[in-house]
Amino acid sequence: MTTFLIRLFVKNPEDIKNPFVRERYGLLGSWVGICCNLVLFLSKLLIGLISASVSIMADAVNNLSDAASSIVTLVGFKISAKPADEDHPFGHARVEYIAGLVVSFIIIFLGIQLGLSSINKIFTPEPMSVSLVTIIVLILSILMKLWMSFFNRHLGNRINSSTLKATATDSLNDVIATSGVLISVIIYFFTSWNLDGYIGVVVAGFIIYSGINVIRETVSPLLGEAPTLELVDEIQNKLLSYEGVLGIHDLMVHNYGPNRCFASVHAEVSATENILVSHDLIDTIERDFALELGIHLVIHLDPIIQDDELTNTLHSLVINCIHEIDPLLSIHDFRAVQGVTHTNLIFDIAVPHNFVSSDKELAYLVNQAVKNYDESFHCVITVDRSYLSTTINTTK
Protein backbone atom coordinates (compact mmCIF):
# COMPACT_ATOMS: atom_id res chain seq x y z
CA MET A 1 0.00 0.00 0.00
CA THR A 2 2.78 2.42 0.96
CA THR A 3 4.78 1.73 -2.21
CA PHE A 4 1.63 2.08 -4.34
CA LEU A 5 0.81 5.51 -2.88
CA ILE A 6 4.41 6.72 -3.34
CA ARG A 7 4.48 5.60 -6.98
CA LEU A 8 1.06 7.17 -7.58
CA PHE A 9 1.83 10.51 -5.96
CA VAL A 10 5.58 11.06 -6.40
CA LYS A 11 7.40 11.26 -9.72
CA ASN A 12 11.03 10.07 -9.57
CA PRO A 13 10.68 9.00 -5.90
CA GLU A 14 14.38 8.07 -5.66
CA ASP A 15 15.53 11.66 -6.36
CA ILE A 16 15.02 12.71 -2.72
CA LYS A 17 17.54 15.60 -2.88
CA ASN A 18 15.29 17.35 -5.39
CA PRO A 19 13.21 19.90 -3.41
CA PHE A 20 10.17 19.29 -5.63
CA VAL A 21 10.33 15.53 -4.99
CA ARG A 22 10.66 16.24 -1.26
CA GLU A 23 7.59 18.48 -1.48
CA ARG A 24 5.58 15.68 -3.10
CA TYR A 25 6.53 13.28 -0.30
CA GLY A 26 5.43 15.88 2.25
CA LEU A 27 2.14 16.52 0.45
CA LEU A 28 1.47 12.78 0.23
CA GLY A 29 1.97 12.33 3.97
CA SER A 30 -0.17 15.40 4.70
CA TRP A 31 -3.11 14.39 2.50
CA VAL A 32 -3.11 10.83 3.85
CA GLY A 33 -3.11 12.29 7.37
CA ILE A 34 -5.96 14.69 6.62
CA CYS A 35 -8.21 12.05 5.03
CA CYS A 36 -7.57 9.27 7.57
CA ASN A 37 -7.91 11.52 10.62
CA LEU A 38 -11.14 13.11 9.37
CA VAL A 39 -12.63 9.62 8.90
CA LEU A 40 -11.53 8.64 12.41
CA PHE A 41 -12.82 11.91 13.90
CA LEU A 42 -16.30 11.59 12.39
CA SER A 43 -16.69 7.91 13.29
CA LYS A 44 -15.46 8.36 16.89
CA LEU A 45 -17.48 11.55 17.40
CA LEU A 46 -20.64 9.71 16.33
CA ILE A 47 -19.88 6.75 18.60
CA GLY A 48 -18.91 9.09 21.45
CA LEU A 49 -22.17 11.05 21.22
CA ILE A 50 -24.25 7.87 21.08
CA SER A 51 -22.43 6.25 24.01
CA ALA A 52 -21.99 9.51 26.00
CA SER A 53 -18.31 8.66 26.47
CA VAL A 54 -15.99 11.61 27.12
CA SER A 55 -12.89 9.48 26.53
CA ILE A 56 -14.09 8.47 23.05
CA MET A 57 -14.98 12.08 22.22
CA ALA A 58 -11.57 13.13 23.57
CA ASP A 59 -9.96 10.61 21.27
CA ALA A 60 -12.11 11.96 18.41
CA VAL A 61 -10.96 15.53 19.03
CA ASN A 62 -7.40 14.21 19.18
CA ASN A 63 -7.89 12.88 15.64
CA LEU A 64 -9.31 16.25 14.60
CA SER A 65 -6.17 17.93 15.96
CA ASP A 66 -4.10 15.45 13.95
CA ALA A 67 -6.03 16.45 10.82
CA ALA A 68 -5.36 20.12 11.59
CA SER A 69 -1.70 19.26 12.13
CA SER A 70 -1.59 17.60 8.72
CA ILE A 71 -3.02 20.76 7.15
CA VAL A 72 -0.29 22.83 8.82
CA THR A 73 2.30 20.30 7.63
CA LEU A 74 0.92 20.51 4.10
CA VAL A 75 1.22 24.31 4.08
CA GLY A 76 4.69 24.02 5.59
CA PHE A 77 5.94 21.70 2.85
CA LYS A 78 4.46 23.95 0.16
CA ILE A 79 6.21 27.05 1.53
CA SER A 80 9.50 25.28 2.33
CA ALA A 81 9.78 24.14 -1.31
CA LYS A 82 9.81 27.75 -2.55
CA PRO A 83 13.16 28.71 -4.09
CA ALA A 84 15.46 31.33 -2.59
CA ASP A 85 14.54 34.96 -3.12
CA GLU A 86 16.01 38.38 -2.37
CA ASP A 87 14.81 38.38 1.24
CA HIS A 88 15.63 34.70 1.91
CA PRO A 89 18.83 33.85 -0.01
CA PHE A 90 19.13 30.45 1.71
CA GLY A 91 15.62 29.35 0.75
CA HIS A 92 12.52 28.66 2.86
CA ALA A 93 13.21 25.11 4.06
CA ARG A 94 13.14 26.09 7.75
CA VAL A 95 9.40 26.72 7.39
CA GLU A 96 9.05 22.95 7.77
CA TYR A 97 10.38 23.28 11.34
CA ILE A 98 8.03 26.21 12.04
CA ALA A 99 5.11 24.10 10.81
CA GLY A 100 6.09 21.39 13.27
CA LEU A 101 6.20 23.97 16.06
CA VAL A 102 2.68 25.22 15.20
CA VAL A 103 1.46 21.62 15.20
CA SER A 104 2.91 21.07 18.67
CA PHE A 105 1.06 24.09 20.13
CA ILE A 106 -2.22 22.88 18.62
CA ILE A 107 -1.69 19.43 20.15
CA ILE A 108 -0.86 20.79 23.61
CA PHE A 109 -3.81 23.22 23.63
CA LEU A 110 -6.29 20.48 22.74
CA GLY A 111 -4.71 18.13 25.26
CA ILE A 112 -5.20 20.64 28.07
CA GLN A 113 -8.84 21.27 27.09
CA LEU A 114 -9.58 17.53 26.93
CA GLY A 115 -7.85 16.98 30.25
CA LEU A 116 -10.08 19.57 31.95
CA SER A 117 -13.21 17.97 30.44
CA SER A 118 -12.11 14.52 31.60
CA ILE A 119 -11.45 15.72 35.15
CA ASN A 120 -14.95 17.21 35.23
CA LYS A 121 -16.31 13.81 34.07
CA ILE A 122 -14.55 12.11 36.98
CA PHE A 123 -16.39 14.28 39.53
CA THR A 124 -19.70 14.20 37.62
CA PRO A 125 -19.84 10.77 35.93
CA GLU A 126 -22.64 9.92 33.51
CA PRO A 127 -23.83 6.48 32.42
CA MET A 128 -22.57 5.26 29.04
CA SER A 129 -24.23 3.23 26.30
CA VAL A 130 -21.66 0.84 24.87
CA SER A 131 -22.29 -1.63 22.05
CA LEU A 132 -20.29 -4.10 20.00
CA VAL A 133 -20.16 -1.51 17.20
CA THR A 134 -18.28 0.86 19.52
CA ILE A 135 -15.64 -1.80 20.20
CA ILE A 136 -15.27 -2.63 16.49
CA VAL A 137 -14.83 1.07 15.54
CA LEU A 138 -12.10 1.50 18.17
CA ILE A 139 -10.25 -1.63 17.01
CA LEU A 140 -10.34 -0.44 13.38
CA SER A 141 -9.11 2.97 14.55
CA ILE A 142 -6.13 1.36 16.28
CA LEU A 143 -5.23 -0.62 13.15
CA MET A 144 -5.51 2.48 10.93
CA LYS A 145 -3.34 4.57 13.27
CA LEU A 146 -0.76 1.78 13.42
CA TRP A 147 -0.53 1.77 9.63
CA MET A 148 -0.30 5.59 9.56
CA SER A 149 2.61 5.44 12.01
CA PHE A 150 4.54 3.00 9.79
CA PHE A 151 3.61 4.99 6.69
CA ASN A 152 4.81 8.36 8.03
CA ARG A 153 7.92 6.78 9.55
CA HIS A 154 8.78 5.34 6.14
CA LEU A 155 8.29 8.71 4.41
CA GLY A 156 10.16 10.57 7.17
CA ASN A 157 13.16 8.25 7.00
CA ARG A 158 13.18 8.40 3.21
CA ILE A 159 13.47 12.21 3.03
CA ASN A 160 14.90 12.75 6.55
CA SER A 161 11.94 14.87 7.66
CA SER A 162 11.65 15.60 11.38
CA THR A 163 8.05 16.74 10.83
CA LEU A 164 6.93 13.43 9.28
CA LYS A 165 8.87 11.47 11.91
CA ALA A 166 7.09 13.49 14.61
CA THR A 167 3.76 12.71 12.92
CA ALA A 168 4.66 9.01 12.97
CA THR A 169 5.41 9.21 16.69
CA ASP A 170 2.14 11.04 17.29
CA SER A 171 0.24 8.28 15.45
CA LEU A 172 1.91 5.66 17.64
CA ASN A 173 0.89 7.63 20.74
CA ASP A 174 -2.65 7.63 19.37
CA VAL A 175 -2.52 3.83 19.16
CA ILE A 176 -1.68 3.71 22.87
CA ALA A 177 -4.32 6.30 23.75
CA THR A 178 -7.10 4.61 21.77
CA SER A 179 -6.08 1.25 23.25
CA GLY A 180 -6.68 2.79 26.69
CA VAL A 181 -10.11 3.98 25.60
CA LEU A 182 -10.88 0.52 24.19
CA ILE A 183 -9.91 -1.14 27.46
CA SER A 184 -12.20 1.19 29.44
CA VAL A 185 -15.09 0.54 27.03
CA ILE A 186 -14.61 -3.25 27.26
CA ILE A 187 -14.46 -3.06 31.07
CA TYR A 188 -17.69 -1.02 31.13
CA PHE A 189 -19.32 -3.39 28.61
CA PHE A 190 -18.74 -6.43 30.83
CA THR A 191 -18.70 -4.98 34.37
CA SER A 192 -20.44 -1.55 34.22
CA TRP A 193 -17.37 0.03 35.87
CA ASN A 194 -17.20 3.58 34.57
CA LEU A 195 -13.52 4.52 34.03
CA ASP A 196 -14.36 6.98 31.26
CA GLY A 197 -13.12 10.18 32.96
CA TYR A 198 -9.90 8.54 34.18
CA ILE A 199 -9.08 7.18 30.73
CA GLY A 200 -9.87 10.61 29.27
CA VAL A 201 -7.24 12.14 31.56
CA VAL A 202 -4.72 9.52 30.41
CA VAL A 203 -5.53 10.25 26.76
CA ALA A 204 -5.12 13.98 27.37
CA GLY A 205 -1.78 13.29 29.05
CA PHE A 206 -0.58 11.40 25.97
CA ILE A 207 -1.68 14.27 23.74
CA ILE A 208 0.23 16.84 25.82
CA TYR A 209 3.29 14.60 26.03
CA SER A 210 3.24 14.18 22.25
CA GLY A 211 3.07 17.95 21.74
CA ILE A 212 6.03 18.54 24.08
CA ASN A 213 8.09 15.97 22.15
CA VAL A 214 7.32 17.70 18.85
CA ILE A 215 8.49 21.02 20.37
CA ARG A 216 11.78 19.43 21.39
CA GLU A 217 12.35 18.03 17.90
CA THR A 218 11.55 21.27 16.05
CA VAL A 219 13.00 23.97 18.32
CA SER A 220 16.53 22.52 18.32
CA PRO A 221 17.20 22.94 14.57
CA LEU A 222 15.56 26.38 14.64
CA LEU A 223 17.96 27.47 17.37
CA GLY A 224 20.93 26.14 15.40
CA GLU A 225 21.86 22.71 16.76
CA ALA A 226 25.33 21.24 16.33
CA PRO A 227 25.84 18.89 13.37
CA THR A 228 25.70 15.17 14.09
CA LEU A 229 28.89 13.23 14.82
CA GLU A 230 28.26 11.17 11.67
CA LEU A 231 28.14 14.29 9.47
CA VAL A 232 31.28 15.76 11.06
CA ASP A 233 33.16 12.48 10.53
CA GLU A 234 31.95 12.28 6.93
CA ILE A 235 33.11 15.84 6.15
CA GLN A 236 36.44 15.36 7.93
CA ASN A 237 37.26 12.02 6.31
CA LYS A 238 36.33 13.24 2.85
CA LEU A 239 38.44 16.40 3.16
CA LEU A 240 41.50 14.52 4.42
CA SER A 241 41.16 11.99 1.60
CA TYR A 242 42.34 14.58 -0.95
CA GLU A 243 46.05 14.55 -1.70
CA GLY A 244 47.42 17.96 -0.81
CA VAL A 245 45.11 18.61 2.17
CA LEU A 246 47.37 18.25 5.23
CA GLY A 247 44.83 19.13 7.90
CA ILE A 248 41.57 20.94 8.64
CA HIS A 249 40.22 23.16 11.39
CA ASP A 250 37.52 25.74 12.17
CA LEU A 251 34.75 23.62 10.65
CA MET A 252 31.34 25.31 10.86
CA VAL A 253 28.09 23.74 9.64
CA HIS A 254 24.83 25.67 9.20
CA ASN A 255 21.45 24.01 8.65
CA TYR A 256 18.88 26.13 6.81
CA GLY A 257 16.39 23.29 6.65
CA PRO A 258 16.35 19.73 5.31
CA ASN A 259 18.81 19.35 2.42
CA ARG A 260 19.95 22.98 2.92
CA CYS A 261 23.39 22.49 4.44
CA PHE A 262 26.10 25.14 4.27
CA ALA A 263 29.58 24.73 5.74
CA SER A 264 32.94 26.48 5.95
CA VAL A 265 36.36 25.10 6.91
CA HIS A 266 40.04 25.99 6.90
CA ALA A 267 42.16 23.53 4.91
CA GLU A 268 45.92 23.35 5.47
CA VAL A 269 48.18 22.94 2.42
CA SER A 270 51.94 23.07 1.97
CA ALA A 271 53.37 26.59 1.80
CA THR A 272 55.78 25.41 -0.89
CA GLU A 273 52.99 24.34 -3.27
CA ASN A 274 52.11 26.58 -6.22
CA ILE A 275 49.16 28.77 -5.20
CA LEU A 276 47.33 28.03 -8.46
CA VAL A 277 47.59 24.28 -7.82
CA SER A 278 46.27 24.66 -4.27
CA HIS A 279 43.45 26.91 -5.47
CA ASP A 280 42.44 24.36 -8.09
CA LEU A 281 42.39 21.65 -5.41
CA ILE A 282 40.07 23.73 -3.22
CA ASP A 283 37.72 24.41 -6.16
CA THR A 284 37.58 20.68 -6.90
CA ILE A 285 36.72 19.82 -3.29
CA GLU A 286 33.96 22.41 -3.13
CA ARG A 287 32.39 21.07 -6.35
CA ASP A 288 32.60 17.48 -5.11
CA PHE A 289 30.87 18.33 -1.82
CA ALA A 290 28.03 20.08 -3.65
CA LEU A 291 27.49 17.23 -6.11
CA GLU A 292 28.10 14.20 -3.87
CA LEU A 293 26.91 15.35 -0.43
CA GLY A 294 24.64 18.30 -1.25
CA ILE A 295 26.74 20.53 1.02
CA HIS A 296 27.58 24.07 -0.05
CA LEU A 297 31.15 24.22 1.25
CA VAL A 298 33.44 27.26 1.41
CA ILE A 299 37.13 26.54 2.09
CA HIS A 300 39.73 28.97 3.40
CA LEU A 301 43.28 28.12 2.33
CA ASP A 302 45.92 27.95 5.10
CA PRO A 303 49.54 27.45 3.88
CA ILE A 304 51.75 25.79 6.50
CA ILE A 305 55.53 25.35 6.69
CA GLN A 306 56.67 21.74 6.87
CA ASP A 307 60.40 21.75 6.08
CA ASP A 308 61.73 24.16 8.74
CA GLU A 309 63.34 22.16 11.56
CA LEU A 310 63.11 24.91 14.21
CA THR A 311 59.44 25.63 13.44
CA ASN A 312 58.60 21.93 13.64
CA THR A 313 60.44 21.59 16.96
CA LEU A 314 58.65 24.56 18.50
CA HIS A 315 55.32 23.33 17.11
CA SER A 316 55.80 19.96 18.85
CA LEU A 317 56.76 21.76 22.07
CA VAL A 318 53.57 23.78 22.13
CA ILE A 319 51.44 20.71 21.36
CA ASN A 320 52.99 18.86 24.31
CA CYS A 321 52.29 21.83 26.59
CA ILE A 322 48.60 22.16 25.66
CA HIS A 323 48.02 18.39 25.86
CA GLU A 324 49.24 18.48 29.45
CA ILE A 325 46.44 20.98 30.11
CA ASP A 326 43.76 19.05 28.17
CA PRO A 327 44.27 16.29 25.54
CA LEU A 328 41.25 17.60 23.58
CA LEU A 329 42.96 20.92 22.82
CA SER A 330 44.64 21.40 19.44
CA ILE A 331 46.48 24.19 17.62
CA HIS A 332 46.67 25.48 14.08
CA ASP A 333 48.14 28.36 12.05
CA PHE A 334 51.42 28.04 13.93
CA ARG A 335 54.27 30.49 13.21
CA ALA A 336 57.52 31.26 14.97
CA VAL A 337 59.03 34.76 14.70
CA GLN A 338 62.55 35.02 16.12
CA GLY A 339 63.80 38.30 17.61
CA VAL A 340 66.94 39.47 19.37
CA THR A 341 65.60 39.14 22.93
CA HIS A 342 62.64 36.78 22.52
CA THR A 343 60.77 34.51 20.11
CA ASN A 344 57.06 34.97 19.39
CA LEU A 345 55.08 31.76 18.98
CA ILE A 346 51.89 32.71 17.16
CA PHE A 347 49.05 30.19 16.93
CA ASP A 348 45.33 29.49 17.41
CA ILE A 349 44.01 27.04 20.01
CA ALA A 350 40.86 25.06 19.11
CA VAL A 351 38.81 24.66 22.30
CA PRO A 352 35.82 22.31 22.81
CA HIS A 353 32.53 24.15 23.48
CA ASN A 354 32.34 22.73 27.03
CA PHE A 355 35.87 23.73 28.07
CA VAL A 356 35.54 25.26 31.56
CA SER A 357 38.44 27.76 31.68
CA SER A 358 38.03 31.24 30.21
CA ASP A 359 40.03 32.30 27.16
CA LYS A 360 42.32 34.47 29.30
CA GLU A 361 42.92 31.68 31.83
CA LEU A 362 43.77 29.23 29.07
CA ALA A 363 46.16 31.66 27.36
CA TYR A 364 47.91 32.29 30.69
CA LEU A 365 48.29 28.56 31.42
CA VAL A 366 49.73 27.84 27.96
CA ASN A 367 52.10 30.80 28.16
CA GLN A 368 53.42 29.68 31.55
CA ALA A 369 53.83 26.09 30.38
CA VAL A 370 55.85 27.19 27.34
CA LYS A 371 58.00 29.59 29.41
CA ASN A 372 58.95 26.69 31.67
CA TYR A 373 60.97 25.40 28.72
CA ASP A 374 62.44 28.77 27.77
CA GLU A 375 61.81 32.22 29.27
CA SER A 376 62.44 33.89 25.90
CA PHE A 377 59.37 32.23 24.36
CA HIS A 378 56.29 34.47 24.21
CA CYS A 379 52.96 33.06 23.01
CA VAL A 380 50.54 35.14 20.94
CA ILE A 381 47.34 33.11 21.21
CA THR A 382 43.93 33.29 19.56
CA VAL A 383 41.35 31.02 21.21
CA ASP A 384 38.82 29.39 18.85
CA ARG A 385 35.72 28.01 20.52
CA SER A 386 34.37 25.01 18.59
CA TYR A 387 30.91 25.15 17.00
CA LEU A 388 30.78 21.35 16.94
CA SER A 389 29.55 18.92 19.57
CA THR A 390 32.82 17.02 19.25
CA THR A 391 36.48 17.65 18.50
CA ILE A 392 37.96 16.71 15.13
CA ASN A 393 41.25 15.18 14.13
CA THR A 394 42.86 18.03 12.18
CA THR A 395 45.80 16.27 10.54
CA LYS A 396 46.41 13.16 8.51
Side-chain angles (χ1 to χ4, degrees):
M1 181 67 173
T2 300
T3 303
F4 170 75
L5 288 173
I6 291 174
R7 294 292 178 185
L8 181 67
F9 206 82
V10 183
K11 294 181 179 179
N12 302 318
E14 304 303 325
D15 187 17
I16 57 175
K17 290 186 178 181
N18 187 324
F20 298 105
V21 172
R22 181 183 182 82
E23 178 190 6
R24 298 299 292 178
Y25 271 105
L27 296 181
L28 171 60
S30 300
W31 278 115
V32 168
I34 292 170
C35 295
C36 291
N37 282 305
L38 283 178
V39 170
L40 291 174
F41 164 69
L42 293 173
S43 59
K44 288 181 185 178
L45 180 64
L46 180 62
I47 294 298
L49 290 172
I50 294 174
S51 62
S53 169
V54 68
S55 62
I56 295 178
M57 286 189 284
D59 206 25
V61 176
N62 181 32
N63 293 140
L64 181 62
S65 74
D66 291 339
S69 300
S70 295
I71 294 174
V72 174
T73 301
L74 185 148
V75 175
F77 270 104
K78 288 291 289 183
I79 297 176
S80 66
K82 291 175 60 179
D85 55 33
E86 185 177 347
D87 295 325
H88 306 91
F90 297 104
H92 299 77
R94 279 185 176 174
V95 172
E96 187 177 326
Y97 301 142
I98 297 174
L101 196 60
V102 173
V103 167
S104 67
F105 288 133
I106 294 174
I107 293 172
I108 291 174
F109 174 76
L110 289 173
I112 293 173
Q113 293 298 314
L114 294 173
L116 294 174
S117 299
S118 299
I119 291 172
N120 182 60
K121 193 66 177 285
I122 292 175
F123 291 105
T124 56
E126 298 177 5
M128 294 191 300
S129 176
V130 177
S131 66
L132 189 60
V133 175
T134 304
I135 297 174
I136 293 174
V137 169
L138 291 176
I139 292 174
L140 292 176
S141 170
I142 290 171
L143 294 176
M144 181 178 288
K145 274 293 183 178
L146 195 60
W147 174 80
M148 289 175 65
S149 177
F150 289 132
F151 177 73
N152 284 297
R153 180 73 59 186
H154 179 77
L155 295 186
N157 289 334
R158 194 153 193 173
I159 64 173
N160 191 27
S161 169
S162 59
T163 301
L164 288 177
K165 289 177 183 178
T167 302
T169 301
D170 186 42
S171 295
L172 197 57
N173 287 339
D174 290 344
V175 170
I176 299 172
T178 305
S179 297
V181 175
L182 177 62
I183 291 171
S184 73
V185 167
I186 292 175
I187 290 174
Y188 184 83
F189 185 75
F190 288 103
T191 67
S192 296
W193 293 351
N194 193 340
L195 303 176
D196 190 41
Y198 299 97
I199 297 299
V201 170
V202 174
V203 173
F206 270 112
I207 295 171
I208 295 171
Y209 176 76
S210 174
I212 292 172
N213 280 340
V214 175
I215 287 178
R216 289 173 179 168
E217 293 175 1
T218 54
V219 165
S220 187
L222 280 173
L223 290 177
E225 63 184 352
T228 63
L229 179 60
E230 292 76 17
L231 179 59
V232 172
D233 286 341
E234 185 177 17
I235 293 174
Q236 172 188 313
N237 294 334
K238 187 171 180 60
L239 283 169
L240 294 177
S241 69
Y242 289 88
E243 185 177 356
V245 176
L246 305 177
I248 61 171
H249 56 86
D250 289 349
L251 173 63
M252 298 175 63
V253 180
H254 304 278
N255 177 11
Y256 287 92
N259 295 334
R260 298 289 196 284
C261 187
F262 294 80
S264 62
V265 70
H266 289 218
E268 298 172 350
V269 298
S270 174
T272 60
E273 183 62 83
N274 186 299
I275 186 64
L276 294 178
V277 174
S278 297
H279 186 270
D280 183 67
L281 170 64
I282 297 307
D283 279 348
T284 299
I285 297 173
E286 290 175 343
R287 283 195 299 269
D288 289 348
F289 267 78
L291 292 173
E292 298 172 16
L293 301 181
I295 297 175
H296 302 274
L297 181 65
V298 176
I299 303 177
H300 174 79
L301 200 71
D302 274 344
I304 62 172
I305 299 173
Q306 292 181 291
D307 53 1
D308 183 81
E309 184 176 349
L310 177 61
T311 300
N312 291 339
T313 301
L314 295 175
H315 182 268
S316 298
L317 168 65
V318 173
I319 288 179
N320 291 334
C321 289
I322 68 165
H323 282 176
E324 289 177 2
I325 299 172
D326 191 324
L328 294 179
L329 297 174
S330 62
I331 66 171
H332 56 83
D333 291 335
F334 182 86
R335 289 179 291 144
V337 181
Q338 289 182 284
V340 178
T341 60
H342 65 278
T343 299
N344 283 337
L345 306 180
I346 307 168
F347 55 91
D348 293 6
I349 299 182
V351 180
H353 67 93
N354 57 352
F355 190 74
V356 292
S357 299
S358 68
D359 294 355
K360 287 184 177 181
E361 290 172 338
L362 176 59
Y364 175 79
L365 290 173
V366 174
N367 224 335
Q368 290 302 115
V370 172
K371 283 184 178 295
N372 287 337
Y373 286 90
D374 193 320
E375 278 289 337
S376 68
F377 292 158
H378 176 69
C379 296
V380 180
I381 301 171
T382 300
V383 178
D384 284 341
R385 292 278 171 173
S386 175
Y387 291 97
L388 307 176
S389 58
T390 181
T391 56
I392 61 175
N393 179 22
T394 59
T395 58
K396 291 184 177 178

